[in-house]
Amino acid sequence: MDATDVQAVVRSDAALLEDDLAAFLDTLTAPARAAPGSVHDTALRRALHEPVADALGSKTGQQALAPAPGAPGGRTPLRPSLVYWAYRNYRGFPQEPESGADLAVIRRTAVAVRILLKAAVALDDIQDGSDVRYGEPALHTTHGTPLALNTGAWLIMSALRHAADPAVVDSLVRAVGDGFTGQAADLSSRTALTRAELSAAPRAARVDFWESTAALKTGTLFRMPLDAAVAGLRVVEDDRLALDRAMRHLGLASQLFNDLTVFVPELGGAHAREDVDGPGNRVVLELLGADGGPPPGEDVTPHVLGHPHLRRTLLALAEEAVALKRAAKDTVHGVCRSERSAAYFDVTIERKGHLVDRLLATLRQRGGG
């Protein structure tokens, strides 16, 4: 099986996930179709079914696999899942014997994970006050904050119920808890008290705050799919710990990318420089205490943007992001049971991973003085 064949399997698995997600939505809206004249069902369609359908739409962030003639999924852009990578790694490719029971667990897990990720987007946009998500109106701007909050909470409960397998549910519950914990730390960084404490803290303490928050918040987005999948497959503990470590590294690399693109309009787009004054940003935390820094409580934007070490800091952190991504891939390749599995993982993760490399190349072209 060459690289083209591996990508065909990736597409087939991704198409199956899209079909399962569509079936989940179809089940949700079935009661309203059965009683079209009911005021109650019509109200639920407006207040629940439609917001859920919008939340589960295209606001995923990572680049999809482009449609390909004759490929699984037809004309639909497809988004690979780490859940299916785990299945292929530990249970084999289509030419090998497959376990119907394990595949059933994986199919439900993949849908549950997708639902939880979309719930996180809906709630995060409210907390961040973001009106746009990846070029589309955020859920709370189209349906209102109360319905968006209710939709996010409903999606979390539905995902856990849909997962069904006790080991998978336990993994997902812990992931949800970690995500909310990380979000609490991130929200705290925007308060006057924590901002003052970070400004006064030594660099090591500031970086520890960032790493602890990013590992819980962004790292969870990477760890959750894999940990849930390997829990459902009853993978050995050593592999599970290795994958957890790799996903932590990917989460840190991703958060570094997000923080750095605030300062790189070529990659940050409309979001460039919108969070320069946020002490949760790694670049800001690196430069807060340098040369005295601004007094606690004052706007740090002039200090950071005018700092003589800004370019050097951006370049160093971009190199750190690339190193973290490389370490993560090396760790995962270490537990891959075949070259095909390694290729499957690379196709899946490089949808965003290639942007980390592009960021470093962009900053090197600028110079790091």
Side-chain angles (χ1 to χ4, degrees):
M1 180 178 287
D2 60 20
T4 302
D5 292 327
V6 169
Q7 186 166 116
V9 177
V10 174
R11 287 181 176 277
S12 178
D13 291 343
L16 184 59
L17 172 54
E18 296 299 332
D19 289 344
D20 287 345
L21 195 65
F24 171 84
L25 279 172
D26 189 64
T27 300
L28 169 66
T29 57
R33 296 196 306 272
S38 168
V39 175
H40 177 267
D41 289 342
T42 300
L44 276 184
R45 184 181 67 249
R46 286 194 302 265
L48 181 62
H49 305 158
E50 291 176 2
V52 166
D54 286 350
L56 295 178
S58 61
K59 303 179 183 69
T60 59
Q62 293 182 344
Q63 180 180 351
L65 293 176
R75 298 183 179 181
T76 304
L78 297 174
R79 293 176 174 85
S81 167
L82 287 172
V83 174
Y84 275 93
W85 170 81
Y87 178 74
R88 293 303 172 193
N89 186 53
Y90 291 103
R91 295 296 185 269
F93 282 73
Q95 292 85 346
E96 304 166 25
E98 294 187 344
S99 167
D102 285 339
L103 181 57
V105 169
I106 285 298
R107 290 178 66 171
R108 298 184 72 86
T109 300
V111 170
V113 165
R114 177 72 70 85
I115 294 170
L116 285 173
L117 292 175
K118 296 310 181 76
V121 167
L123 297 177
D124 189 68
D125 284 342
I126 295 171
Q127 294 169 324
D128 289 344
S130 300
D131 293 334
V132 176
R133 168 70 68 160
Y134 306 122
E136 300 177 16
L139 192 70
H140 67 94
T141 65
T142 54
H143 294 280
T145 298
L147 284 185
L149 284 171
N150 191 69
T151 299
W154 186 92
L155 286 171
I156 292 172
M157 298 307 300
S158 295
L160 297 175
R161 182 172 62 248
H162 187 82
D165 183 275
V168 175
V169 173
D170 180 66
S171 172
L172 294 178
V173 167
R174 284 186 284 108
V176 170
D178 285 346
F180 280 128
T181 302
Q183 187 74 340
D186 184 50
L187 292 171
S188 177
S189 73
R190 308 174 201 181
T191 65
L193 182 58
T194 303
R195 288 168 73 106
E197 290 170 344
L198 285 170
S199 297
R203 176 188 175 277
R206 296 196 303 270
V207 173
D208 178 72
F209 176 89
W210 180 88
E211 288 186 346
S212 299
T213 302
L216 285 168
K217 186 179 177 184
T218 313
T220 295
L221 300 179
F222 287 88
R223 293 198 309 272
M224 177 175 65
L226 264 187
D227 192 71
V230 298
L233 296 172
R234 276 53 175 182
V235 171
V236 295
E237 188 68 12
D238 285 351
D239 278 16
R240 191 170 181 177
L241 291 174
L243 292 171
D244 184 79
R245 182 170 63 253
M247 294 304 103
R248 183 181 188 279
H249 286 160
L250 275 180
L252 294 178
S254 179
Q255 189 59 55
L256 276 174
F257 173 84
N258 294 339
D259 289 0
L260 288 167
T261 53
V262 171
F263 300 86
V264 185
E266 300 95 313
L267 293 172
H271 301 292
R273 306 231 167 143
E274 70 175 11
D275 292 323
V276 171
D277 66 338
N281 185 295
R282 176 68 181 273
V283 179
V284 175
L285 290 174
E286 290 284 344
L287 299 175
L288 260 180
D291 300 333
E298 287 195 11
D299 183 11
V300 301
T301 302
H303 172 76
V304 173
L305 294 180
H307 199 281
H309 296 162
L310 176 59
R311 285 192 175 186
R312 183 187 308 171
T313 300
L314 294 176
L315 184 58
L317 293 178
E319 290 172 344
E320 182 179 333
V322 170
L324 284 165
K325 188 193 79 164
R326 185 179 301 117
K329 290 182 68 172
D330 288 346
T331 299
V332 173
H333 287 176
V335 302
C336 284
R337 300 190 170 188
S338 68
E339 292 183 2
R340 293 172 296 177
S341 176
Y344 192 121
F345 179 81
D346 290 348
V347 168
T348 301
I349 210 64
E350 285 298 341
R351 288 178 298 141
K352 183 172 182 178
H354 77 283
L355 294 176
V356 176
D357 299 328
R358 181 179 159 197
L359 173 64
L360 177 57
T362 300
L363 289 170
R364 282 176 171 167
Q365 289 173 356
R366 285 185 178 185

